[in-house]
Structure formats: C-alpha cells, structure tokens
Amino acid sequence: MGATHFISVDFETIKFQPPITKWPAKSFPDVMYTPRNDPYYEEKAVPLIDAAKYSGVELWIWAIDRHVKTTMRTNIIRSLKNFTNTRSLFRWLMSWPGQATQVSILIYFAALVESGIKRDSLMKREKDYDTILYNLRQILITRDMPRLKRKIVFNICVVCSHGSGIFDQLIMNGVIHTKDFIWDSQLRYYWHNHQLKIKCFNTIYDYGYEYLGICQRLMTTPLTERCFLTITQALRYVLGAKLIGTTGSGKSETIRDLAKASAILLFGFSCSNLIDYSNLTAFMKGTACTGSWTCLDDFDRISPGLISVIAQLFGEICQALKKKSFT
C-alpha cells in the first residue's frame, strides 16, 4: 500500500495532495462557531484561549476539542469571579458568553440556597434571588441590546425562573437540612477543587464544558425533575435510561435539555427497520470513543434481532466503564 493522500475540492477540479505533515499556522481557527444548519443554535463566536498547533489531522482535532473546553472553563471561572464583584448586572451580561453567565448564576443559586438553609434565612435569600430575577426581566424588557444578547438574557430568565419555585417549596416544607430530598433531588452546580461539579441526589459528575452557543432551554417542570433524577441515577450506576410516553410528549427534548445543562455532547440516532448491524456498530464505537451521550429515537422500530445486538454492545460499553477500561 502506498502513502495515504487527501482529496481537496478546488471548485472546478478534484486533485490529490500529499499527506500533510505540518499544518500552517493560518489553518488553525481562532474562534468556535455553532453549527449553522442546526435550527436550535444561532451564530455566535467565542475566542479560543490558545490556538491548537499540532501536526496530523487526528491530533489537531483532539487539540481543538481540548482547547474549546479549556476556553469554556476559563470563561466560566472569570465570569463567576466577575459576577460576585460586579455592580452592574447588565454590564456583566454583556461582557461574557451566555453559557458562562448562565452557569455562574446557577452556581450562585446553589450557594445561596445552601447558605439560607444552614443559617435558617431562606426567606431572606429568596428576596436576594428574586431581586436578581427581577433585574434580569427589567433588562430584557427595557434595555436596548443586540438580538443575540437578548436571546442570552431570555434563556437565563427561563432557567432562573425555576429557582423561585424551588425556594417556595423549601420554605413551604420547612427544609432545615441540605440533605433534604426536596433540595437534594435538584440539579445543582458547585465549584469544587478547581472543577465544576453537577450533583443530583447522590450522583456527582463533571460538567462537560462542551460549547453550546446560544441554545434554547426548556422550562423545568416536576416531571422534568423526575426525569433528570432518574437519568442521573442511571449515570451513577453506569446504566441506560428509557423515557416512556406518547409521541410528541418531549422525551427526546428532555434528554437533550439535560445534556445542555451538563454541557455534554449528545448524539441522536433515529432508529428504523432499515438500519443494520454495521451501521449500529459503527455508531456505538464512535459514541464510546468520544465519551458522549446517545439518544436512540423510535427505539421500538428496531427489529427484535437487532435489539439483542444493541443490548450486547451497550452491555460491553457499560462493563468497560465500570472497570474503567480504555481498550
């Protein structure tokens, strides 16, 4: 076999090029873009902290992924520090990416609630939180801002509105301990040992730092909370989760929303009776290599013979994760 060649399209002709041994500096992107063909995203760019300069396609892609996550982590840290010292909420919102501001407020919310529970001052903490939520709504209504920033503020209002309901539940039920199930079953964000952690009941996992752009979030309902609790429990014990409901009830969207809340890459796979073993095996291999989540839509359309193949592949992946095996 000869050396591998790469094909490049020159608009008029297709020609072969020799293997690339070193990427030129100008070929490295210095911004992260959300995919334009996804209707749930809008165009938005965030400068990378450092350019990825590696030779070889595989190493370059790996480096880009690492630098993207490092950039998001750095932005969240700086945004959180700036939030605790800011005097102008509007200026803070305009200065940082939407994902960083949203996570910063959620970290602040968890700290505010636990401080109120420990000091028996939940009503006072609720007033502080309601003041922030009121200011966010006033910014959304009265301030003149770019269209993308307005969407950022709107999404933050959607996510933060659920916090007022949580405060009401805690006060109504007289919660006096942070391990109370009403609070412990919520999706909570903590900054611990220089790492952002997400907790839900007894499940603790790392925030994924996947770049989300300006994505729409769902309103959290009691049913959504139960789904999040079930899925995170399955994540703790390295198992799968299946949401059951009628068509169009929001099963897939709930899983996507949890992936957005965790900033973890999620791949959706539309199942049908036309897929075969090779397609499914390649998809599962890619999922295992990237460490992403998978959502199998219309699972009941798969033939019974192929379901056993999925069960075997999924079982092998789960066993490898439990043993922390990388081969």
Side-chain angles (χ1 to χ4, degrees):
M1 296 293 291
T4 305
H5 289 73
F6 295 92
I7 299 177
S8 65
V9 180
D10 198 16
F11 294 101
E12 296 181 357
T13 60
I14 297 178
K15 59 183 180 180
F16 286 92
Q17 290 182 348
I20 299 175
T21 57
K22 185 176 181 181
W23 290 85
K26 293 183 179 180
S27 66
F28 302 116
D30 57 352
V31 292
M32 299 180 293
Y33 290 99
T34 53
R36 296 186 178 184
N37 58 347
D38 193 333
Y40 292 96
Y41 289 85
E42 293 286 341
E43 291 183 16
K44 177 67 181 174
V46 176
L48 283 175
I49 297 298
D50 189 16
K53 298 181 180 180
Y54 285 85
S55 60
V57 179
E58 293 83 2
L59 288 177
W60 178 75
I61 294 176
W62 170 81
I64 285 292
D65 180 68
R66 190 187 68 175
H67 284 294
V68 165
K69 293 180 179 180
T70 302
T71 298
M72 292 314 305
R73 181 179 182 275
T74 304
N75 275 284
I76 290 173
I77 293 173
R78 294 175 179 175
S79 172
L80 184 60
K81 290 181 178 179
N82 190 243
F83 177 70
T84 56
N85 300 320
T86 187
R87 294 184 178 180
S88 173
L89 185 62
F90 176 74
R91 184 178 300 174
W92 175 75
L93 289 169
M94 298 299 107
S95 302
W96 300 101
Q99 184 177 348
T101 54
Q102 188 178 114
V103 172
S104 298
I105 291 181
L106 291 174
I107 295 173
Y108 174 76
F109 167 72
L112 201 65
V113 171
E114 297 205 348
S115 174
I117 293 175
K118 292 176 181 178
R119 299 180 182 180
D120 195 19
S121 58
L122 273 176
M123 296 186 68
K124 181 181 178 181
R125 301 304 182 190
E126 184 185 20
K127 291 181 180 179
D128 296 338
Y129 186 76
D130 286 342
T131 301
I132 295 176
L133 188 57
Y134 174 79
N135 291 334
L136 285 171
R137 291 169 178 167
Q138 289 300 310
I139 289 172
L140 186 63
I141 295 171
T142 62
R143 290 282 190 160
D144 185 19
M145 66 186 86
R147 179 177 59 89
L148 294 181
K149 284 295 183 181
R150 185 172 295 278
K151 286 194 173 185
I152 290 175
V153 179
F154 176 78
N155 290 332
I156 293 175
C157 289
V158 170
V159 174
C160 294
S161 296
H162 180 58
S164 297
I166 295 176
F167 266 113
D168 293 338
Q169 290 183 35
L170 296 175
I171 294 173
M172 187 181 302
N173 290 275
V175 174
I176 58 174
H177 199 279
T178 55
K179 292 298 182 182
D180 192 285
F181 182 77
I182 298 176
W183 171 243
D184 210 26
S185 61
Q186 301 294 330
L187 207 65
R188 313 182 307 280
Y189 294 74
Y190 299 93
W191 191 262
H192 182 67
N193 290 337
H194 307 287
Q195 183 68 27
L196 181 55
K197 301 286 186 179
I198 301 178
K199 296 183 181 180
C200 187
F201 196 45
N202 58 353
T203 304
I204 304 174
Y205 61 99
D206 293 335
Y207 186 79
Y209 299 107
E210 193 72 34
Y211 179 61
L212 301 176
I214 305 175
C215 58
Q216 295 179 351
R217 294 292 304 275
L218 299 179
M219 286 294 296
T220 305
T221 64
L223 181 59
T224 310
E225 293 177 357
R226 292 174 62 185
C227 292
F228 285 179
L229 178 61
T230 303
I231 296 172
T232 52
Q233 285 296 297
L235 184 66
R236 169 182 170 83
Y237 295 105
V238 196
L239 299 171
K242 178 176 175 59
L243 303 185
I244 301 175
T246 58
T247 303
S249 58
K251 302 183 295 297
S252 300
E253 287 300 324
T254 300
I255 297 174
R256 292 190 183 100
D257 194 65
L258 179 59
K260 292 175 185 177
S262 307
I264 294 176
L265 185 63
L266 174 71
F267 287 110
F269 190 84
S270 296
C271 302
S272 68
N273 54 2
L274 300 178
I275 61 174
D276 56 7
Y277 171 81
S278 59
N279 299 133
L280 201 55
T281 303
F283 179 75
M284 298 296 282
K285 285 181 179 179
T287 302
C289 291
T290 57
S292 60
W293 290 0
T294 301
C295 178
L296 299 176
D297 284 326
D298 300 323
F299 190 74
D300 54 337
R301 295 184 180 180
I302 301 178
S303 60
L306 202 56
I307 291 179
S308 61
V309 175
I310 296 176
Q312 181 180 358
L313 293 173
F314 182 74
E316 291 176 356
I317 293 174
C318 290
Q319 289 298 324
L321 289 173
K322 290 179 181 179
K323 295 178 181 179
K324 296 183 179 181
S325 174
F326 298 98
T327 57

